[in-house]
Amino acid sequence: MCGITGWISYDNDLTTQRPTLDAMTGTMACRGPDAGGVWLDTHAGFGHRRLAVIDIEGGKQPMTVERDGRTQIVTTYSGEVYNYRELRAELERLGHTFRTSSDTEVVLHAYLQWGDAFAERLNGMYAFALWDPRTEELLLVRDRMGIKPLYYHPTPDGVLFGSEPKAILAHPSVRPVVDAEGLAELITFTKTPGHAVYKGMHEVRPGHLVRVNRGGLTVKRYWALEAREHTDDLDTTVARIRELLDDIVARQLIADVPLCTLLSGGLDSSAITALSAKALAAQGAGPVRSFAVDFTGYTENFTPDDLRGTPDGPYAHALAEHVGSEHRDIVLDTAALMDPGHRAAVIAARDLPNGFGDGDTSLYLLFKAVREQSTVALSGESADEIFGGYRWFHDPAAVGADTFPWVAAGLASTFTGGHATREGLLDTGLLGKLDLPGYEARRYREALTEVPYLDSDAGHQRRMREVSYLHLTRFVQILLDRKDRASMAVGLEVRVPFCDHRLVEYVFNTPWSMKTFDGREKSLLRAATRDVLPDLVADRVKSPYPATQDPRYNEALRAGLREVAADRDAPVRPLLDGAALTEATADGAADDIRPGAELVLGMNTWLRTTGTTLEL
C-alpha cells in the first residue's frame, strides 16, 4: 500500500516545479514510510510514497515502461491486485516482458494491452494514476468497492490528485474551504459517492475512471452492482460462498512482509482468521498471527446494553485457541484515548473531524501497535453490509423508514455508546441553514434512483435489495475510509477480503429470504464457515465495534468542552449553541454527551490545525 499524488498542467512546464511536487508527496509519507520518488515531465508530475509489500527491491515508483528509449506509460500506484500472477502469465503469452515481480508493472502492461478495458480485469484494492506521454492523457482509476481512496481537484489547465485531500491541499493554489453543503456532508452519515467535503475537490467514485486531457475531464463507470437472477438452491449457495471465501483469503495472504489478522471475536473477523489459519497450514506457513483491541478493565466490568450484549475478549480468545493463532490483545486505557496528541493524529489522518470518537482513536492505536509486528493485516470489514449483519437490517421501523436505515436507527448512538445526536451542541441558526434532514433526504433519493431491480422484485424483497444497495454503495464507504486512514497513518496495509467484487455481486443477488434462512443475521456466512469456528463464536449475536465504558472518558469529554467554552478564540465557538454548551458542561449534567462532544472537540482541532475556512 502506498500514497500517491500528482499534478497535470497543460499550460506550464512542470519540470521546474519539483519543490511543489516534493511538498505534495511529503504529505503522503505516513502511507509509504519505506521509500519515495518523484517523476516529472513537461506537463505531468507524479509523486509516490511506498509501503513495500510485494517485490521489495523491484517495485519502486513512480514506475515506467520504456520502449526504444521512449516512455510509453508511467504510473503512481497504491494498492494490491490479487490476480496479478494470472494477468502476468496472460500478458507474457501476448508478448510482454517484465523486469520486476511487482503487481504495479502488471497494471502498466495491462493498460498497454487492453486500454481502458484493463480495469475490468483487475481483482483487488487499488487507486492509481496513469500518464500516457504519447497522448498526454491522465487516467485516474479506483477499485470497484472504493477500498482505496483517490481525490482530485480540477484546475483551469489540468488537475491535481492525491490519495488524501492533504496532498492536494499542499499545492499553493488550493485553500482548504468548506461550504454549507460540505459541512452538511461532514456532519451527516451519508458519504455521498464522489463528494470530498472540501470545496472544488472530488473523490473518484468506486468503480470509475477519470480521464483528463487537453479537452477537459470526463468520468466513466467501469463497474456497478447489477441485478441478476439467483438460480442456486440454498446448499449450492452456501457452498459457492465458501468456495469464494477460500479463494479470496488465499489470494490475500500473499505478501513478502509479516502478515496478520484483526480479530474481534465476532463472526466476520473470526471467519477470516480461521480461513487464514487453514490456508497457511495447507501451505506449511502457519500459524496465523491475530490481534484484538481491548480496554483496561473492559471485560471484567462490562455492562450489557441495547447494542452490545457481550465483550469481545472471551470470544476472540476462544477463536484464537480453536485455530491455534499467535494472539495478542492490544489493551488501551482512557488516558491513551483522550491523549490530545492521539486525537489530533486521528484528525490529521482523516483530514476531517472524528467520525466515531473513541472508536477512531482506539482503531488508530490498535493499528499503531499492530504495525510494530506486521505490515499487512486482514480484516473482517464489510461482511455486515454484504450479508445483512446490522440490527437495523432486521428492524421493520428502520427498514421501512423513508431515509437511510442507519440514520433511522440512530447511527451515532450505535457506534459511540451514547444516545444524543451529533448536532446537539450546534447553533440552531446554523442547523437551519444546513438543513441536515433535507440534505439527507436529497442524498437518499439520489441513491434510490441508482438501485438495479429485477422484474420479479416486489414487496419486502424489493425493499431489501434497496437496503443492501444503500449499504454497499454508501454506508460501507464510511467504514472503509475510516479503516484506510487509521491504518495508513501508521503505515499498515489492511486488506478486506469480504470486498472482493465476486463475493459482493453473488451475495447481493441472493434473495433476502435465503440470507436469513435460519431467522438470524448473516445466515449464509455462518453456514459457510461454521466448520472452522467454535460454536461459541459461530452462534454469537452481532456486537458493534467496542466503545469504552469507562466513566472517566465522558468526564474527559466534558472537560474538553469546558476548555472550548472558556476559550474565546476557539474556532468552533461561532458554530455552537451557547445554552446547549452551558448545559452540557454544568456540574451534575447528564452523561449522555458523547456524539455531540466528539464532533465539537474534533471540529475545534480540525479548524485550528488545518486553517480550514467555512463559507456558510
Side-chain angles (χ1 to χ4, degrees):
M1 205 55 56
C2 304
I4 68 173
T5 189
W7 179 13
I8 304 301
S9 176
Y10 292 106
D11 293 344
N12 292 285
D13 180 358
L14 296 188
T15 61
T16 66
Q17 297 296 321
R18 178 67 183 251
T20 297
L21 260 296
D22 283 342
M24 295 170 67
T25 305
T27 66
M28 295 291 93
C30 59
R31 299 184 70 92
D34 296 330
V38 169
W39 180 90
L40 290 169
D41 200 0
T42 306
H43 300 303
F46 279 6
H48 188 268
R49 290 295 313 187
R50 186 179 185 215
L51 177 64
V53 173
I54 293 175
D55 191 3
I56 307 302
E57 294 302 319
K60 296 177 181 179
Q61 296 189 51
M63 185 179 289
T64 63
V65 172
E66 312 285 336
R67 184 176 298 166
D68 299 327
R70 300 183 63 183
T71 300
Q72 299 292 298
I73 192 76
V74 60
T75 190
T76 181
Y77 170 92
S78 170
E80 307 289 350
V81 171
Y82 301 122
N83 64 334
Y84 78 99
R85 291 174 172 175
E86 296 98 314
L87 289 173
R88 178 182 174 126
E90 183 177 0
L91 288 163
E92 286 176 330
R93 289 193 296 270
L94 291 169
H96 293 258
T97 58
F98 295 84
R99 56 184 174 82
T100 77
S101 300
S102 69
D103 57 334
T104 304
E105 191 180 10
V106 172
V107 169
L108 285 168
H109 284 271
Y111 173 77
L112 290 173
Q113 179 65 39
W114 296 301
D116 286 4
F118 84 118
E120 300 170 21
R121 295 172 175 262
L122 305 181
N123 178 316
M125 57 177 188
Y126 46 81
F128 56 88
L130 293 169
W131 172 253
D132 190 333
R134 301 166 301 179
T135 60
E136 292 192 327
E137 288 188 326
L138 173 77
L139 196 65
L140 301 175
V141 186
R142 193 173 181 207
D143 66 68
R144 293 170 178 82
M145 291 296 291
I147 305 167
K148 292 292 101 184
L150 184 55
Y151 294 82
Y152 66 99
H153 187 292
T155 64
D157 71 327
V159 71
L160 302 163
F161 66 87
S163 292
E164 299 176 9
K166 60 175 64 69
I168 296 170
L169 294 173
H171 192 279
S173 72
V174 181
R175 294 190 306 115
V177 176
V178 174
D179 59 16
E181 181 180 280
L183 190 57
E185 177 77 13
L186 185 157
I187 296 172
T188 59
F189 280 105
T190 48
K191 191 55 180 171
T192 306
H195 205 300
V197 176
Y198 289 99
K199 189 175 180 180
M201 197 179 297
H202 309 273
E203 193 170 16
V204 178
R205 291 188 62 157
H208 281 66
L209 313 169
V210 175
R211 182 178 293 280
V212 181
N213 55 33
R214 290 183 179 274
L217 183 150
T218 57
V219 178
K220 176 184 176 182
R221 187 183 72 188
Y222 72 89
W223 180 86
L225 284 169
E226 297 177 354
R228 301 169 185 163
E229 289 286 353
H230 186 82
T231 58
D232 293 342
D233 62 19
L234 179 59
D235 289 343
T236 305
T237 298
V238 171
R240 176 57 178 159
I241 289 171
R242 176 56 177 271
E243 178 186 12
L244 284 168
L245 286 172
D246 283 337
D247 179 71
I248 292 164
V249 169
R251 289 177 183 275
Q252 298 196 20
L253 288 172
I254 297 173
D256 295 332
V257 292
L259 180 145
C260 68
T261 67
L262 304 174
L263 176 62
S264 71
L267 176 61
D268 315 338
S269 64
S270 295
I272 295 301
T273 301
L275 292 175
S276 297
K278 183 172 180 289
L280 289 172
Q283 301 169 15
V288 67
R289 293 192 297 173
S290 58
F291 294 87
V293 68
D294 202 356
F295 305 107
T296 303
Y298 187 76
T299 299
E300 299 84 349
N301 302 305
F302 181 80
T303 302
D305 57 30
D306 293 340
L307 301 171
R308 301 171 178 87
T310 53
D312 287 345
Y315 297 88
H317 296 162
L319 190 281
E321 182 178 356
H322 184 76
V323 304
S325 75
E326 292 183 359
H327 183 76
R328 178 187 168 193
D329 290 330
I330 306 300
V331 183
L332 309 175
D333 59 23
T334 298
L337 294 176
M338 280 306 301
D339 184 289
H342 293 156
R343 293 171 65 87
V346 171
I347 293 173
R350 299 194 68 164
D351 292 306
L352 295 170
N354 287 9
F356 297 113
D358 75 285
D360 283 349
T361 309
S362 66
L363 195 66
Y364 166 79
L365 293 172
L366 166 66
F367 290 159
K368 187 176 181 181
V370 170
R371 183 61 178 89
E372 296 175 358
Q373 300 182 47
S374 286
T375 307
V376 175
L378 271 64
S379 166
E381 196 77 83
S382 306
D384 287 307
E385 291 79 9
I386 295 165
F387 291 97
Y390 296 117
R391 294 188 181 186
W392 53 75
F393 272 96
H394 312 274
D395 177 0
V399 169
D402 192 25
T403 187
F404 297 106
W406 56 89
V407 172
L411 175 66
S413 61
T414 299
F415 282 92
T416 64
H419 298 282
T421 64
R422 278 163 60 87
E423 63 270 21
L425 296 177
L426 298 183
D427 178 69
T428 54
L430 172 65
L431 292 175
K433 183 181 295 185
L434 298 179
D435 184 19
L436 300 181
Y439 183 80
E440 287 177 340
R442 290 195 301 277
R443 295 311 191 189
Y444 174 65
R445 296 295 170 201
E446 289 173 3
L448 287 183
T449 64
E450 302 173 7
V451 181
Y453 301 100
L454 294 174
D455 292 340
S456 58
D457 286 339
H460 191 58
Q461 167 59 27
R462 180 182 175 89
R463 178 54 179 167
M464 293 314 295
R465 185 180 289 279
E466 293 176 345
V467 169
S468 295
Y469 185 88
L470 294 173
H471 280 81
L472 291 171
T473 62
R474 267 67 178 177
F475 188 71
V476 76
Q477 286 295 298
I478 298 172
L479 300 184
L480 289 175
D481 187 64
R482 167 181 179 252
K483 184 148 285 185
D484 172 84
R485 300 304 186 83
S487 60
M488 294 309 296
V490 297
L492 176 71
E493 174 178 304
V494 174
R495 298 176 178 178
V496 280
F498 287 115
C499 277
D500 186 292
H501 70 277
R502 298 169 297 162
L503 179 67
V504 173
E505 291 171 345
Y506 186 77
V507 179
F508 175 68
N509 283 296
T510 304
W512 181 251
S513 58
M514 193 175 287
K515 292 178 185 177
T516 55
F517 73 87
D518 63 358
R520 292 197 57 190
E521 79 285 354
K522 290 186 286 197
S523 307
L524 291 173
L525 178 59
R526 183 176 296 103
T529 59
R530 180 177 280 279
D531 67 302
V532 295
L533 302 174
D535 289 340
L536 176 71
V537 172
D539 294 328
R540 187 188 182 194
V541 175
K542 166 69 181 176
S543 182
Y545 183 86
T548 180
Q549 293 185 339
D550 189 338
R552 291 175 298 174
Y553 185 78
N554 277 12
E555 283 307 310
L557 289 177
R558 197 182 311 281
L561 288 179
R562 287 177 178 140
E563 290 181 10
V564 168
D567 182 2
R568 294 183 178 181
D569 296 325
V572 77
R573 279 285 298 273
L575 308 179
L576 303 183
D577 182 313
L581 183 62
T582 298
E583 181 179 349
T585 55
D587 292 335
D591 287 336
D592 196 11
I593 61 169
R594 269 204 203 181
E598 297 280 19
L599 178 66
V600 167
L601 296 178
M603 288 181 69
N604 197 56
T605 300
W606 168 61
L607 291 170
R608 176 166 280 156
T609 57
T610 64
T612 297
T613 300
L614 299 180
E615 292 185 351
L616 308 176

